[in-house]
Amino acid sequence: MPTDGQMRAAESLWAVGNITGRGVVTRVSMYRARIAVRDILGRPGLHAA
């Protein structure tokens, strides 16, 4: 599932982990989950590479 730099797959839909097909290693998924959580909470932060 393609995502943007904030891990958004669609409006009000975020995707992390194996479903994205990228970075299926646990530590990469955790990094991207933190990015998604910040975006969900409306806090500024990093963009996923």
Side-chain angles (χ1 to χ4, degrees):
M1 175 174 287
T3 59
D4 67 9
Q6 296 302 314
M7 304 311 300
R8 290 180 290 239
E11 183 155 346
S12 299
L13 178 66
W14 291 261
V16 295
N18 292 350
I19 194 168
T20 64
R22 297 178 290 152
V24 295
V25 179
T26 301
R27 64 183 170 272
V28 174
S29 295
M30 295 297 291
Y31 163 76
R32 291 186 174 171
R34 287 191 293 274
I35 292 170
V37 167
R38 275 192 287 253
D39 191 55
I40 291 166
L41 296 176
R43 296 182 183 161
L46 301 172
H47 292 267

